[in-house]
Amino acid sequence: MKKLLFILCTTIVLVQCQRKDPQDTVATAVPPDFIKELWYKNSLIYNLDVKVFKDSDGNGFGDFKGLIQQLDYLKKLGVDVIWLSPFQPTPDGDDGYDIADFYGIDSRIGTRADFEEFMKQAKARNIRVIMDLVINHTSDQHPWFQQARRDEKSPYRSWYVWSEERPKNWDKGMVFPGVQKETWSYDKQAKAYYFHRFYNFQPDLNAQNPAVQLEVRKIIGYWLATGMSGFRLDAVPFFIEKVGDDPNDPEHQFELITQMHQFVQWRKGDAMVLGEANVDPKEQKPYFGEQGTGMQMMFNFYANQHLFYALATGELKPFTKALEETKGIPPTAQWAYFLRNHDEIDLGRLTESQRNKVYDKFGPDKSMQLYDRGIRRRLASMLGDRQQIELAYSLLLSMPGAPAIRYGEELGMGDDLRLKERLSVRTPMQWSTDRNAGFSTASKTVRPVISQGPYSYQRVNVVTESQDSTSLLNWLTTMIQLRKQHPEIGWGDWNLLDTGSPSVLAMQYEWQNRSVLMVHNFSKNAQQVQLQLKKKPVRSLTSLLDKSRQQASSNGQYVIALGKYGYNWYEVK
Ligand code: NOJ
């Protein structure tokens, strides 16, 4: 009831904020109090995997102690929230997304005490922590599955999804096509087939089973009690699916999301769930829930793939359409935007011809492509051009949501295509020119560091870039600070403005008495556009980047010139 009241009040306050004429409201850079509860709406999220971030004891694995040493670096970068990739015990078949104990900590990366010290140190720096919640499946090494497969009478048998006969669609609905051969595999011990959306060593939990639901709540409660501010919920559409005859068209049980939302907030009022749900905009509504009773956040995968199309071709239309289509979420909800994450860039929602254009530009070699739908490269190596990389980050920071950055992207790290599947983009963090990129002193590291070519640690690393005023790291740190000075981007209402050019994007944000205009040129040719702002009369535009100022012409138009992949942010006064 308390939560419902809170959502209702917040909705009313937000709707009122949006309805008021900006001229009537009091300008304030300090957000009003209720915004603190909705901290996720305007936070910079930084995703890292402890085991490849910083090794403090020379065993070749990054660890919590190493991460603690680097917290000041993250603070300086402007990180508000650390999203920890899975850190529980695992046989590591899927880089930790195959968990063998939901309540434990991988002993290679630290002890419970190390973890708690990390949580304390993050809090001391006012950095929140969220973690991956991987409850669609377990590892096949998890004691629950071991008991379930051994003994038909075990209470754990019904925690998984079984079939005595081979289901007719046993080889349909794979998430990793080309690598994964089936979704139903035969288990000799169990003498039955079990369902797995992902690899065959990741049996799906039976989320319909109340005992599983109870255990999920226990896991959530357990980690919230350690000080977690929320979760990145893995594989949401698969977690809530009712396994049926057609794996390509399953029924979804959205109540599971509402129940999770309720439980999370009962335990911790301002905790949030950030969903990994790559869904069509037509399906997004029930994921956010009525009145924001679903997940508070989702990654905007739909916009992401259309953004890569725009970056590859200079043609904006599909991207602006995707932005419009994903507008209109509940006021307490928020999108998380990203450029690259720990997986392949999933281009599955583009048309074949659009996808081929992105492949041609960013992943022409077969070795760069994955699962018949994506590209397994990091941003810098894919784009290559510094100006286009800046364009992409400027855009990420201008998107109507919370920006999420994967470790190393702030440096422009590259990929190692010799590593299999998505491991190509999961190489150790590059700290310095020291041995193993300053990541570890071990003779063998968990994964090889990138030591050759233009993205080698000798060139791309934190120390070198910190000392270079023109580096990507320093540029991005400044841009992040600038974004933080403009809460209207995460909080405000936004509109796309007509620029008359198929490759120039102009977005205007308004919130309280503030307004900013962000313009981005996706073309490799310089462009000059004319545009008209939404609210009139507007007297001037002042660039937040180069401080240039301009007045509107007599017909209220502004002329904006942008170089190749140029961008500018303006304060509207
Ligand atoms: C989505 C994660 O992002 C991916 O890395 C993982 O392999 C699957 N879920 C399975 O957990």
Side-chain angles (χ1 to χ4, degrees):
M1 193 62 196
K2 216 172 108 198
K3 305 295 150 206
L4 269 177
L5 255 175
F6 169 72
I7 290 174
L8 198 70
C9 294
T10 318
T11 310
I12 292 168
V13 177
L14 288 173
V15 168
Q16 280 180 349
C17 277
Q18 282 160 5
R19 281 205 191 126
K20 273 187 188 168
D21 183 330
Q23 307 299 329
D24 295 336
T25 52
V26 182
T28 168
V30 182
D33 254 7
F34 68 87
I35 289 177
K36 295 212 177 89
E37 315 290 334
L38 306 178
W39 52 272
Y40 50 84
K41 277 189 76 95
N42 206 10
S43 288
L44 182 88
I45 303 170
Y46 187 91
N47 171 226
L48 63 89
D49 181 357
V50 180
K51 71 175 173 297
V52 287
F53 200 59
K54 175 75 184 166
D55 174 14
S56 72
D57 57 8
N59 72 349
F61 278 81
D63 45 43
F64 279 110
K65 283 192 184 136
L67 172 54
I68 293 169
Q69 290 167 9
Q70 305 303 341
L71 280 174
D72 288 332
Y73 163 75
L74 297 181
K75 186 73 196 167
K76 196 164 164 225
L77 180 62
V79 171
D80 300 305
V81 184
I82 294 174
W83 151 26
L84 293 177
S85 297
F87 54 84
Q88 290 114 322
T90 171
D92 248 347
D94 184 13
D95 200 21
Y97 282 90
D98 47 334
I99 293 177
D101 171 9
F102 287 100
Y103 302 96
I105 287 165
D106 186 336
S107 59
R108 298 168 300 185
I109 66 171
T111 61
R112 171 79 195 205
D114 297 337
F115 165 77
E116 281 180 10
E117 184 61 21
F118 156 69
M119 294 298 285
K120 189 171 157 283
Q121 293 292 341
K123 189 165 182 208
R125 289 164 178 81
N126 210 6
I127 298 179
R128 289 179 181 267
V129 183
I130 63 171
M131 62 183 275
D132 252 292
L133 182 62
V134 189
I135 36 128
N136 171 67
H137 48 266
T138 68
S139 156
D140 61 357
Q141 301 306 305
H142 196 294
W144 301 338
F145 189 71
Q146 290 296 325
Q147 291 181 49
R149 68 168 17 154
R150 235 186 347 252
D151 178 4
E152 210 180 330
K153 305 228 160 40
S154 156
Y156 292 109
R157 185 77 163 202
S158 59
W159 284 37
Y160 295 88
V161 186
W162 301 96
S163 170
E164 309 254 298
E165 306 296 321
R166 185 158 88 174
K168 84 173 185 315
N169 283 321
W170 62 279
D171 58 351
K172 301 277 178 311
M174 278 85 70
V175 177
F176 303 131
V179 178
Q180 187 189 348
K181 300 278 173 273
E182 54 197 16
T183 46
W184 288 92
S185 292
Y186 188 68
D187 186 66
K188 275 199 204 127
Q189 247 183 311
K191 297 192 183 60
Y193 291 84
Y194 63 93
F195 181 69
H196 54 92
R197 266 294 176 180
F198 298 92
Y199 298 109
N200 63 1
F201 51 81
Q202 291 167 306
D204 271 38
L205 278 166
N206 175 12
Q208 320 294 304
N209 183 338
V212 170
Q213 293 172 9
L214 201 67
E215 188 73 30
V216 166
R217 288 200 278 275
K218 238 171 91 179
I219 297 168
I220 290 174
Y222 177 86
W223 288 108
L224 284 178
T226 67
M228 286 290 163
S229 289
F231 302 94
R232 177 262 188 197
L233 183 57
D234 189 63
V236 188
F238 303 126
F239 171 59
I240 63 169
E241 76 180 318
K242 281 188 178 166
V243 179
D245 289 343
D246 185 357
N248 290 323
D249 187 22
E251 194 187 317
H252 291 115
Q253 237 188 326
F254 289 103
E255 316 84 87
L256 291 179
I257 298 182
T258 322
Q259 284 162 16
M260 184 180 288
H261 172 112
Q262 276 181 340
F263 183 76
V264 165
Q265 295 211 327
W266 283 337
R267 284 294 166 94
K268 197 169 190 180
D270 67 349
M272 68 91 181
V273 177
L274 162 56
E276 186 217 11
N278 180 352
V279 295
D280 189 276
K282 288 195 238 21
E283 296 162 22
Q284 89 201 7
K285 209 168 164 198
Y287 285 89
F288 283 122
E290 289 298 329
Q291 309 287 335
T293 49
M295 291 182 291
Q296 290 86 345
M297 296 187 88
M298 292 218 280
F299 288 104
N300 199 337
F301 282 96
Y302 191 72
N304 179 268
Q305 22 204 306
H306 290 91
L307 167 61
F308 274 94
Y309 176 76
L311 288 169
T313 60
E315 188 202 324
L316 264 176
K317 192 93 190 115
F319 176 52
T320 51
K321 190 161 166 268
L323 287 177
E324 294 285 8
E325 282 175 334
T326 51
K327 211 174 179 177
I329 60 175
T332 50
Q334 187 61 299
W335 286 114
Y337 282 86
F338 61 102
L339 293 168
R340 289 296 293 112
N341 65 11
H342 61 295
D343 289 326
E344 79 288 1
I345 303 170
D346 188 338
L347 304 169
R349 293 190 182 276
L350 300 183
T351 63
E352 201 181 334
S353 112
Q354 287 174 330
R355 191 164 42 250
N356 285 336
K357 286 184 189 163
V358 185
Y359 280 156
D360 285 349
K361 180 86 178 151
F362 296 140
D365 198 286
K366 270 272 172 226
S367 69
M368 299 166 174
Q369 301 168 12
L370 193 60
Y371 309 139
D372 306 332
R373 61 160 182 253
I375 301 180
R376 56 186 205 109
R377 302 183 75 191
R378 280 216 188 230
L379 187 82
S381 45
M382 212 164 30
L383 268 49
D385 181 309
R386 166 69 186 261
Q387 186 61 34
Q388 198 183 22
I389 295 170
E390 284 191 16
L391 173 85
Y393 278 111
S394 165
L395 197 77
L396 173 70
L397 297 174
S398 319
M399 285 293 103
I405 295 180
R406 170 84 171 161
Y407 78 90
E409 289 292 306
E410 73 275 24
L411 305 173
M413 269 174 61
D415 36 67
D416 184 347
L417 293 172
R418 293 169 311 172
L419 301 179
K420 73 167 190 173
E421 296 175 55
R422 294 155 292 155
L423 296 186
S424 54
V425 297
R426 301 177 183 181
T427 58
M429 177 68 171
Q430 296 174 190
W431 293 105
S432 67
T433 54
D434 292 349
R435 179 176 192 208
N436 294 326
F439 158 68
S440 169
T441 54
S443 50
K444 191 167 184 297
T445 52
V446 50
R447 215 160 277 153
V449 296
I450 295 182
S451 55
Q452 258 143 40
Y455 302 98
S456 71
Y457 72 82
Q458 291 88 343
R459 296 180 191 201
V460 177
N461 66 70
V462 173
V463 170
T464 307
E465 293 197 34
S466 301
Q467 291 161 356
D468 173 1
S469 62
T470 66
S471 68
L472 183 65
L473 176 63
N474 278 324
W475 172 85
L476 189 57
T477 307
T478 308
M479 293 297 283
I480 290 171
Q481 297 311 325
L482 191 60
R483 155 79 195 238
K484 283 174 189 273
Q485 289 160 23
H486 292 278
E488 55 270 44
I489 305 172
W491 279 96
D493 232 0
W494 59 271
N495 282 295
L496 298 176
L497 307 183
D498 184 9
T499 65
S501 161
S503 47
V504 178
L505 178 75
M507 286 176 94
Q508 187 182 355
Y509 284 92
E510 281 164 282
W511 186 64
Q512 305 209 338
N513 204 16
R514 311 167 59 112
S515 178
V516 282
L517 166 72
M518 339 285 286
V519 283
H520 292 89
N521 174 18
F522 282 70
S523 164
K524 56 178 183 301
N525 301 316
Q527 306 270 324
Q528 179 161 300
V529 295
Q530 283 203 355
L531 49 84
Q532 189 129 31
L533 298 176
K534 280 282 163 207
K535 290 265 154 75
K536 286 176 264 176
V538 174
R539 287 196 302 268
S540 69
L541 290 182
T542 309
S543 167
L544 294 164
L545 303 180
D546 58 29
K547 304 289 170 225
S548 63
R549 212 177 142 167
Q550 63 165 297
Q551 309 290 330
S553 64
S554 54
N555 59 358
Q557 299 259 337
Y558 290 89
V559 177
I560 294 181
L562 296 161
K564 163 195 172 189
Y565 300 134
Y567 56 89
N568 214 333
W569 296 16
Y570 295 96
E571 186 171 19
V572 181
K573 279 252 168 82

